[in-house]
Every structure is written in structure tokens, then in C-alpha cells.
Amino acid sequence: MVDYDSEGLISAWSFDGAGTGRRIGWDEIRRGAPSGRGFDWINLQQLDHRYGKNWLNDESLIDPSIIESLTAAETRPRCALFDNGAFLNLRGINLMPYSLPDEMHSIRFWVEPNRIVSVRKRTLSAVGDFEDAIQRGRAPRSPGEFVADLSMRLVDRMDTVITALAEQADELEELVLSATLSNLSVKVSEVRRVAIILRRYIAPQREALNHFSLEDAEWLSPRDRNRLREAADRVTRFAEELDSVRDRAAVIYDQMVERRAEQMNHSMLILAAVTVVFAPMTLITGLMGMNVEGIPGAQDPNGFWAVTLIAGLLGAGLVALLRMIRWL
């Protein structure tokens, strides 16, 4: 008998097909899936490909190509249908403490009529809530209901994060004309980055759910198919919302660039006006300040005040002229 690494098994459940489930261990897993309406769920941990490795390769009777998909390091959401089951790769947003909003972790499923094998690398709050519901007596009655229920829970958590991202974009649109650009630029870049990363995985998930709903199996009821299509429709809406957030972030960035250009043009205009006003005055004072003979008023005690008055009148006249041509 093979020795199994108990750390590779996160949890395992056996469902009776009537809405109740109980936890099982490796001993019952080795006996095989139940017959009749019942089915088992074996939830494994991916850790450098060493989780439940012996059981998957030696006793699970799963095709090696499917095992390779279950243990792949990085994959995008997809679905593949086979004669004896279906492979489904989904991603979920983790709402666990200290997790980032753009972290979408993968969970892979191999679904058979009497057994579901799932593999994950990191903890997902949706899966934890799903197991809590099972403990409260709300267990799935078929593999199709299992996948539909868990898919809806994954989608619900996407809704929370994407709604918050859209609200953040709304706030940025209101602040773009009043906030300091240096403080706002980082926030706009972060919103756009998160939207791009989330859409990268959410868009393929829509196709995966729609493809899985086409599975021609007795354990996938019309109600389960409708729930899967509903989840796919919500994912479609999320993808469109992320496109909108990304485009709005781009528009906000363009507004920031325009505002910065306007501020620069205004500063340059003020500098040009100051130059126009003070350049003639500087010329006059420079000429009158030359240390040579023949400077008019050099011997007149009121010469300084006369030059000052002429320069002041010239400056006032230039300011009035600039106001007339709307430079100031």
C-alpha cells in the first residue's frame, strides 16, 4: 500500500445525493467512489507537485494528460470535455485577510459522475464558505449542482471587488479637477493595472463556464445548466465593467495630462507677461545706470525719482496693454 502525504489532502467529502455530506479520509478515498446517486469530493493542495502525488498517479485512475492539467503551474480558465468526465479550470478572487484585490487564484476540477477531484495552490474564501455551507447541511445533490454552486460563489466575490473598483473610478473622476496630480496619478495607475489583470482571467472564465454547461451528462440538470449560464452572464458583465473601468482610467489620465499642460501653459504665459513688463524697465534702468559721462539727470537731485516714475508708468502701461489683449 502506498504511503500518502496527509498534507496534500486539504479535505474530502462524501455526499449521499440527498443534500447531506460527511468528511472522509484517505482510507475511504482508497475504496473508490460511491455507487448510486452519491459522489465524493477530494480537495488536494498543490505544493511543488508533491500533494497527494502518489494517489493521483497510482490509484486515481485519471488520465495522465488530465493529471498534468490538474498540476500545471500556471493556466488560464478553460474547460475540456471527455467521454468519462470534464476538466474545468476556474479562478477566484481571494477575500482573505492580507490578500490583494488583483489576486486571482486557480482551482482545477476533474468531474466524473461519482467523483470530483479538485486541486488548488492557495486558499480561496469561496471554497471555505462552500465547505461551511456543507457542514450546515446544505450539501450539493449532484456533481452538476456542486460545480454550479461553487461557480456562483466565485462569481459573487468577483462582484464585490469589481464594484469597489468601479466606485474607486467614480471617485477619481470627481477628484481629477481638484486633487493634486502627483497624488492622483498613482491611484489612477493602480486602478488601471488591477482592471487589466482581472480582465485577463475573467474573460476566459466566461467561455469555460459556457462550455461546461454544454456537457451532455445525467448529473448536469437543466437547473444546473441555467445557473452555470447565469454565472457566465455575470462574468460577461464583469468583463464589460472592467473594460469600462480601464477606459475610464485612460480618460482620467488624459484629463490629467491636459490639466498639467494647461498649468504649464499658464505658468509660461505668466512668465512671458512678466518678461514683457520688466524687460523695458530693465533696459531703461540699465542705460541710466551706466557709469559714463552724459547721462541725463546725472547732476539733478530729482533724476532718480524721475527715472523711477518713468519706469513705473511704463510698467503700468504694459500691464494695461497685456490685460487688453487678455494675457493677464
Side-chain angles (χ1 to χ4, degrees):
M1 183 65 65
V2 177
D3 291 331
Y4 292 93
D5 177 12
S6 60
E7 295 181 357
L9 178 64
I10 301 173
S11 60
W13 295 82
S14 181
F15 305 104
D16 60 3
T20 59
R22 60 183 179 84
R23 289 186 179 273
I24 60 175
W26 279 120
D27 291 338
E28 292 183 81
I29 292 174
R30 294 184 194 124
R31 297 191 192 113
S35 58
R37 296 176 55 191
F39 66 99
D40 289 347
W41 172 34
I42 304 162
N43 190 20
L44 299 174
Q45 175 72 30
Q46 179 183 2
L47 183 60
D48 297 330
H49 296 244
R50 292 183 299 195
Y51 61 88
K53 181 178 180 181
N54 294 329
W55 178 81
L56 270 178
N57 292 328
D58 300 336
E59 296 190 19
S60 67
L61 301 180
I62 299 176
D63 187 270
S65 62
I66 298 173
I67 294 177
E68 183 178 355
S69 298
L70 287 171
T71 59
E74 286 293 335
T75 57
R76 301 183 69 187
R78 68 183 183 92
C79 176
L81 305 179
F82 299 86
D83 293 337
N84 58 335
F87 171 79
L88 181 64
N89 182 8
L90 299 178
R91 282 188 177 257
I93 295 177
N94 203 359
L95 298 184
M96 302 294 288
Y98 308 109
S99 60
L100 299 176
D102 60 337
E103 288 183 340
M104 293 196 70
H105 302 313
S106 173
I107 181 167
R108 301 92 182 267
F109 301 93
W110 169 245
V111 185
E112 299 174 347
N114 297 103
R115 183 179 62 174
I116 297 175
V117 178
S118 63
V119 177
R120 78 183 192 201
K121 188 173 183 180
R122 294 183 177 88
T123 302
L124 279 171
S125 55
V127 178
D129 292 346
F130 182 63
E131 292 195 76
D132 290 340
I134 295 175
Q135 292 178 337
R136 295 194 303 267
R138 299 175 57 186
R141 292 180 291 272
S142 67
E145 184 177 346
F146 176 99
V147 176
D149 192 0
L150 190 53
S151 298
M152 291 298 293
R153 292 177 183 273
L154 293 172
V155 170
D156 287 339
R157 278 147 187 80
M158 293 181 192
D159 197 354
T160 301
V161 173
I162 294 173
T163 299
L165 196 65
E167 292 175 353
Q168 191 173 357
D170 293 338
E171 295 176 359
L172 292 175
E173 287 179 336
E174 295 177 0
L175 293 174
V176 68
L177 298 178
S178 58
T180 305
L181 294 180
S182 58
N183 296 334
L184 201 61
S185 179
V186 176
K187 296 180 180 179
V188 173
S189 299
E190 179 65 15
V191 167
R192 189 174 185 183
R193 184 187 68 84
V194 172
I196 291 173
I197 293 176
L198 291 180
R199 195 193 184 286
R200 176 187 175 191
Y201 294 110
I202 285 179
Q205 189 143 314
R206 170 189 54 196
E207 300 300 328
L209 291 172
N210 279 327
H211 195 189
F212 188 85
S213 67
L214 299 177
E215 168 72 7
D216 185 15
E218 295 181 357
W219 45 263
L220 196 60
S221 67
R223 180 176 179 272
D224 299 332
R225 298 179 195 277
N226 290 334
R227 294 184 67 194
L228 287 168
R229 293 191 185 101
E230 179 184 352
D233 290 341
R234 292 181 64 185
V235 171
T236 301
R237 181 174 64 82
F238 295 155
E240 294 173 351
E241 184 68 25
L242 289 172
D243 286 337
S244 175
V245 170
R246 182 187 59 188
D247 294 340
R248 289 164 63 189
V251 171
I252 293 173
Y253 183 79
D254 291 341
Q255 291 176 338
M256 292 171 55
V257 171
E258 292 177 1
R259 183 183 168 197
R260 187 175 286 110
E262 290 176 358
Q263 291 177 345
M264 183 66 69
N265 291 338
H266 183 67
S267 300
M268 294 300 295
L269 184 61
I270 293 176
L271 180 61
V274 170
T275 302
V276 169
V277 171
F278 283 96
M281 300 169 61
T282 303
L283 176 63
I284 293 174
T285 55
L287 289 173
M288 302 301 294
M290 290 188 299
N291 191 18
V292 295
E293 295 292 338
I295 300 298
Q299 305 302 324
D300 188 348
N302 295 320
F304 169 77
W305 298 109
V307 173
T308 301
L309 178 61
I310 293 172
L313 292 175
L314 179 61
L318 290 172
V319 169
L321 178 62
L322 292 177
R323 287 185 179 277
M324 288 180 59
I325 62 177
R326 300 185 183 278
W327 273 34
L328 293 176

